[in-house]
Amino acid sequence: MKRFSLVAAAFIAVVAVSGAEAKEYKAAAKPGDAGYFNVLEEGGFWTVGYTGEPGQSNREIAEYAMRRAGDLAAEQHKEWFAVLTTTNRMVQLGVADDLQMRAGNFMGSSGGANTSAPVSGAPAGNSRNNTGTFGGEAVPNSVLERWEPRKVRQTLLVIELGSGDNASFPGLDHTPEIFPATGAASAPSPKP
């Protein structure tokens, strides 16, 4: 009976782990959102990045950044891309100065539609959303500044695109890894 219970528990664990779904591979809707982005830098280099969602693994985010680099190379009609530098870091998700994101809906607004706080996040002098628990006065900035925005993982790649067999990278002290324009990463296909 013990053996059956052990086998059943192992089976349930395997099913639970294999049932974990990958997050959707997508473009970032706006700066600071989850998803991929790319920027052409001076000198012809590209910065390609993927900002993850809360709970997304480092590995998946890195795979999605590599996938975007491969897609970008194909979009630019290049055969390969070379990864010059890689950076993995934690960044703020969304707009850090959004009072609604800081405080939630309990401050008297419904979904943040009528929040009367200025862009800086400091409460407005006549804001009825910031009254009540502080004796009818605006919430002190020192209280608001204790809030920390959600942080998520982000992978940034600085890449150079190219075609043909002759690749040179003047000024680099190392030989970068080169990947094909498509199929560069083994990231899962996007959800239908």
Side-chain angles (χ1 to χ4, degrees):
M1 188 66 176
K2 272 186 173 181
R3 185 173 185 191
F4 175 75
S5 297
L6 204 56
V7 170
F11 177 75
I12 291 170
V14 168
V15 169
V17 169
S18 66
E21 289 188 30
K23 301 286 185 181
E24 181 182 4
Y25 172 76
K26 62 184 178 184
K30 62 184 186 222
D33 281 356
Y36 65 78
F37 58 91
N38 45 265
V39 178
L40 179 60
E41 304 289 348
E42 287 187 31
F45 301 113
W46 288 86
T47 298
V48 175
Y50 196 91
T51 304
E53 296 178 32
Q56 196 168 7
S57 72
N58 280 337
R59 180 179 179 171
E60 187 175 44
I61 294 166
E63 287 175 349
Y64 283 175
M66 288 290 289
R67 180 176 175 179
R68 178 61 194 150
D71 292 348
L72 178 64
E75 289 170 11
Q76 298 296 316
H77 306 289
K78 301 296 183 180
E79 294 177 2
W80 50 262
F81 67 95
V83 178
L84 307 179
T85 63
T86 303
T87 305
N88 295 306
R89 63 186 186 172
M90 298 295 287
V91 297
Q92 296 175 2
L93 183 62
V95 179
D97 287 341
D98 182 6
L99 182 61
Q100 180 63 31
M101 189 172 116
R102 287 182 178 198
N105 292 336
F106 72 88
M107 292 184 71
S109 63
S110 58
N114 295 321
T115 301
S116 59
V119 174
S120 69
N126 62 354
S127 172
R128 66 182 184 88
N129 291 336
N130 288 319
T131 60
T133 59
F134 284 87
E137 297 295 321
V139 177
N141 285 337
S142 61
V143 173
L144 287 177
E145 294 308 315
R146 290 184 186 157
W147 171 86
E148 290 189 25
R150 291 186 301 172
K151 297 217 175 194
V152 294
R153 293 176 173 88
Q154 181 184 68
T155 295
L156 295 175
L157 307 172
V158 175
I159 63 170
E160 184 174 335
L161 307 178
S163 294
D165 294 333
N166 297 328
S168 66
F169 306 97
L172 284 183
D173 59 354
H174 66 284
T175 304
E177 290 188 67
I178 298 176
F179 299 91
T182 56
S186 58
S189 59
K191 293 180 183 179

